[in-house]
Amino acid sequence: MTGVALAEELLLLAYDDETGKATMPRISLDLGMAAAVLIELALAGRIAFTDGNLAAVDPTPTGEPVADEVLVRIAGDSPHTPSSWVQRLRHGLRDRILGDLCSQGVVRDVDETELGFIHVHRYPVVDASVEADTRRRLAEALTSGMAPDERTAAL
């Protein structure tokens, strides 16, 4: 895999560029990002839906750290349904992906204190080109009349 992961694209679309706050319920975003990681692995031919469960069919790393960690988990665990994997994977995924986006210089972590003791993190965009490309692909898919590529369709 190359470029930006689907889960990263989804997260960028779900956060306000200027305020750095999620624009949707966080549980929905967490579930969506977990599903995006699974879709990324399926598109790469690493996992498949077999007999109602997800199974690793090719344990070769993809080069995308989050997806590779999930692939190792799927390969080393007993079979589970896609729904079960989405629930299992959603915990901590948003923080991990936000951290990755910070280290890539796409967003920055703004740590603020509210009421004198509550830490609130916001993630305003630093490099808008990543999300702009995602939005451009989605707009083309919706308006061009041509079938989008697999990744754009999945997103």
Side-chain angles (χ1 to χ4, degrees):
M1 281 185 236
T2 58
V4 180
L6 285 176
E8 291 174 342
E9 289 183 304
L10 180 62
L11 186 141
L12 287 170
L13 293 171
Y15 269 67
D16 182 274
D17 292 352
E18 293 175 19
T19 67
K21 296 179 181 180
T23 59
M24 61 186 300
R26 291 188 176 157
I27 183 68
S28 300
L29 179 57
D30 293 345
L31 294 168
M33 287 188 312
V37 173
L38 294 174
I39 291 168
E40 188 101 60
L41 288 169
L43 290 175
R46 301 307 198 274
I47 63 172
F49 184 70
T50 308
D51 298 326
N53 293 307
L54 291 179
V57 294
D58 179 359
T60 307
T62 65
E64 204 292 302
V66 173
D68 289 343
E69 289 173 18
V70 170
L71 180 58
V72 167
R73 284 183 65 183
I74 292 172
D77 205 344
S78 59
H80 296 286
T81 65
S83 175
S84 176
W85 275 115
V86 166
Q87 287 295 333
R88 290 165 174 262
L89 298 173
R90 72 179 176 88
H91 303 286
L93 188 57
R94 182 174 11 100
D95 290 337
R96 169 73 191 277
I97 291 174
L98 283 166
D100 289 350
L101 288 170
C102 285
S103 67
Q104 295 169 33
V106 177
V107 299
R108 66 186 172 95
D109 183 356
V110 176
D111 183 4
E112 299 176 333
T113 304
E114 294 181 357
L115 301 175
F117 63 93
I118 300 172
H119 284 277
V120 177
H121 291 266
R122 297 182 307 107
Y123 299 90
V125 169
V126 174
D127 178 0
S129 65
V130 175
E131 184 180 353
D133 179 61
T134 301
R135 288 186 182 281
R136 179 194 53 76
R137 286 189 356 257
L138 289 171
E140 284 177 6
L142 294 170
T143 61
S144 72
M146 297 176 60
D149 62 88
E150 288 181 322
R151 291 179 51 79
T152 304
L155 186 60

